[in-house]
């Protein structure tokens, strides 16, 4: 897809992304709490099982039509695997000295780093795009902010 055909982001796109970040933080907090009272495996299965039931219920109620007749590539189904591993890793790290804020900050840095790598290599059908100096500056600021938050933030 060329950048000319991509619509400009609107305010609700920013609000949705910001809201998703807030929900992700709540999810990590809830899953970390489950890990304290159970195990990392338990903390991963409970949200995935409840999410599966919620998704099935929504599919039954809404009965959405298929957007495309073609099937997605097999690697697209690995999102559940990476989601399960993400839940276990964040549940483990938020109960350490990193705490919730450090876990989220380093998770964001990891997302940006991998996104730049995926863009550079054209992974998963993405168009190849070389990172700009601005991209590297943003990653540096995120990493620096993460380290400040972890090592100099809120030690009570």
């Amino acid at each position: 897809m060329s950048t000319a055909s991509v619509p400009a982001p609107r305010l609700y796109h920013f609000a949705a992304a910001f809201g998703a970040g807030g929900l992700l933080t709540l999810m990590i907090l809830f899953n970390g709490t489950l890990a304290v009272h159970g195990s990392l495996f338990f903390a991963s299965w409970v949200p995935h099982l409840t999410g599966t039931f919620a998704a099935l219920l929504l599919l039954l109620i809404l009965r959405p039509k298929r957007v495309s007749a073609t099937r997605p590539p097999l690697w697209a189904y690995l999102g559940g695997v990476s989601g399960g591993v993400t839940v276990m890793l964040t549940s483990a790290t938020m109960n350490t000295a990193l705490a919730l804020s450090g876990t989220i900050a380093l998770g964001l840095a990891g997302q940006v780093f991998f996104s730049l790598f995926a863009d550079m290599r054209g992974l998963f059908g993405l168009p190849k795009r070389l990172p700009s100096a601005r991209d590297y500056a943003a990653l540096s600021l995120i990493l620096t902010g993460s380290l400040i938050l972890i090592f100099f933030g809120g030690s009570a």
Side-chain angles (χ1 to χ4, degrees):
M1 178 185 276
S2 71
T3 54
S5 64
V6 176
R10 298 180 185 246
L11 182 60
Y12 66 87
H13 294 136
F14 289 101
F18 190 77
L23 287 174
L24 179 64
T25 302
L26 280 175
M27 180 196 78
I28 291 170
L29 174 64
F30 296 158
N31 295 341
T33 304
L34 284 173
V36 168
H37 295 284
S39 68
L40 295 179
F41 186 73
F42 178 72
S44 178
W45 273 100
V46 168
H48 281 85
L49 198 58
T50 55
T52 298
F53 285 131
L56 288 173
L57 184 63
L58 284 173
L59 284 172
L60 288 172
I61 292 170
L62 300 176
R63 301 213 180 262
K65 290 186 173 58
R66 218 173 222 260
V67 174
S68 171
T70 61
R71 291 233 178 251
L74 285 177
W75 56 259
Y77 293 97
L78 292 177
V81 174
S82 64
V85 172
T86 299
V87 168
M88 287 190 287
L89 292 176
T90 56
S91 296
T93 58
M94 75 150 278
N95 292 310
T96 67
L98 283 179
L100 183 59
S101 56
T103 298
I104 297 294
L106 287 177
L108 174 62
Q111 288 176 18
V112 172
F113 178 81
F114 185 79
S115 298
L116 291 175
F117 178 76
D119 282 346
M120 269 181 6
R121 301 284 187 213
L123 298 180
F124 308 113
L126 292 171
K128 284 188 179 184
R129 181 184 81 79
L130 290 178
S132 66
R134 231 177 19 185
D135 293 327
Y136 290 120
L139 180 59
S140 298
L141 289 171
I142 292 169
L143 281 171
T144 302
S146 299
L147 295 175
I148 289 170
L149 181 76
I150 292 165
F151 292 113
F152 302 108
S155 37

